[in-house]
Amino acid sequence: MSPPSADNGHSELQYQRVLLKLSGEALLGGEREFGIDEAVLRSYAEEVRKAVEMGAEVAIVIGGGNIFRGVENAMEGMTRAHADYMGMLATMINGMALQDAFEQVDLVTRLQSSIKMEEIAEPFIRRRAIRHLEKGRVVIFGAGTGNPYFTTDTAAALRGLEIDADVILKGTRVDGVFTADPEENDDAERFLRIHGQEVIQRNLRVMDMTALTLCQESEMPIIVFNMGREGNLPDLLAGETVGTRVHWDGTEATAERVPA
C-alpha cells in the first residue's frame, strides 16, 4: 500500500479536503436490522478509493446506530451518559470495519479515537490527523467527540472544522434533502441547494442543532447525498451537482428545488 503521488489532479477538484459523515444505519444495507453489510462496506471503500486517487484528502466520521440499536431494547432505565458511551464504542467497531475494507482496496488509513484505546487506534491529535491527510492517508475518527450528550453529527462538524475541511459531506441512503418524504408524497421535491437558516426553520433534520450551529458560525457548507449510488462521491468532488448543498451565503438565499 502506498499513498497517492503528488501529481494526482488536485487542480480539478471542487473540494480538496473533505469530512465525510456516514451513519451507522447506512451500513445495514437493505435487509439487516443490525450489523454490517459487507457489500455496503466494499462499495464505500471503492468510492473512497476513487476520491483519494483523484487527489482528495478524506477524513471520515461514522455513527454506530447499526450496532447500538440492536441492543437498545435491553437498555430501559440506563442513563443517557452510559448509553452514549456504548454508542461511542459502536462507532469504533464501525471504524475498524471501514479501516479493514479500505485497506483491502490498498488505501492507507489511520483510525483515531476520542477515547484512549492504544491497542487499536491512535488518540485524536489534530495536527497528526492533518499530517496524515497531507500524506494521502484516509483518517477515520471514532468514538464521537469523546463526550456523552453529543451526536456523531456534532463530531463530524467539530472534526471538519478542526482539520480545516472544505466541506462536510453527509453520505446517506437518500438522494438529498426533500420538502417531504418522497416515498409517501408524490409532490415532494428535492432541494438542489438551500440556506442553512431555512433548514433550521423548516426543521429538515439535516444535522442536529449543535452541529448546524457549529457549521453556521464558520460558514461550513454541508452536502447531503446518496453514498450508496456509485460514482456520487467522485462526481461531487469534481464539482458536479449531486444531492443537496446547504450553504450559509446570504447572497444565494433562495432555495432551488427539483422534483424528487
Side-chain angles (χ1 to χ4, degrees):
M1 293 182 287
S2 61
S5 67
D7 183 16
N8 48 16
H10 285 188
S11 61
E12 300 176 0
L13 294 179
Q14 177 78 17
Y15 304 105
Q16 169 66 45
R17 179 177 295 167
V18 300
L19 188 293
L20 176 61
K21 166 64 172 53
L22 299 172
S23 70
E25 287 85 352
L27 295 181
L28 293 172
E31 305 293 332
R32 295 170 178 270
E33 293 185 0
F34 58 89
I36 298 173
D37 187 297
E38 180 184 344
V40 174
L41 273 183
R42 293 192 183 283
S43 70
Y44 284 5
E46 281 299 318
E47 289 292 290
V48 173
R49 182 184 62 78
K50 293 173 188 173
V52 172
E53 287 180 350
M54 292 170 69
E57 298 174 6
V58 182
I60 296 175
V61 168
I62 188 163
N66 56 317
I67 294 171
F68 184 67
R69 179 168 294 178
V71 294
E72 203 168 33
N73 292 334
M75 300 301 165
E76 187 173 353
M78 180 178 287
T79 64
R80 166 72 186 274
H82 197 89
D84 282 355
Y85 278 115
M86 290 184 67
M88 291 179 219
L89 298 180
T91 71
M92 288 301 295
I93 294 173
N94 284 337
M96 293 178 70
L98 277 181
Q99 183 178 38
D100 182 75
F102 289 172
E103 291 181 349
Q104 288 193 33
V105 296
D106 290 340
L107 288 169
V108 181
T109 69
R110 292 292 186 272
L111 176 60
Q112 293 199 344
S113 172
S114 300
I115 299 175
K116 198 171 182 180
M117 301 184 189
E118 293 177 345
E119 286 76 9
I120 59 173
E122 297 178 356
F124 169 70
I125 299 174
R126 173 179 170 273
R127 287 180 179 273
R128 183 181 292 179
I130 291 173
R131 188 65 184 136
H132 288 323
L133 292 169
E134 290 171 344
K135 290 182 175 180
R137 299 166 181 160
V138 178
V139 180
I140 304 166
F141 298 121
T145 67
N147 299 286
Y149 302 101
F150 292 96
T151 67
T152 48
D153 278 351
T154 298
L158 181 63
R159 296 291 182 250
L161 293 169
E162 287 182 291
I163 64 170
D164 298 323
D166 298 323
V167 66
I168 292 175
L169 307 177
K170 183 163 183 178
T172 71
R173 293 188 289 186
V174 296
D175 290 331
V177 182
F178 295 85
T179 54
D181 187 342
E183 295 182 355
E184 298 180 358
N185 191 329
D186 292 337
D187 297 325
E189 295 177 304
R190 176 170 62 87
F191 292 100
L192 289 179
R193 60 177 180 175
I194 183 171
H195 194 279
Q197 197 59 45
E198 187 170 349
V199 168
I200 295 170
Q201 291 169 350
R202 286 174 172 267
N203 193 25
L204 292 175
R205 300 181 183 279
V206 170
M207 301 178 96
D208 64 69
M209 275 303 300
T210 306
L212 284 173
T213 301
L214 283 171
C215 292
Q216 181 180 26
E217 289 176 347
S218 301
E219 299 187 347
M220 170 70 78
I222 306 162
I223 297 178
V224 182
F225 72 107
N226 188 341
M227 184 66 186
R229 195 179 296 276
E230 184 178 354
N232 262 0
L233 180 58
D235 287 348
L236 189 160
L237 295 173
E240 295 187 24
T241 301
V242 176
T244 299
R245 183 169 66 88
V246 179
H247 65 88
W248 306 96
D249 184 351
T251 64
E252 53 170 318
T254 303
E256 184 179 359
R257 309 175 188 173
V258 295

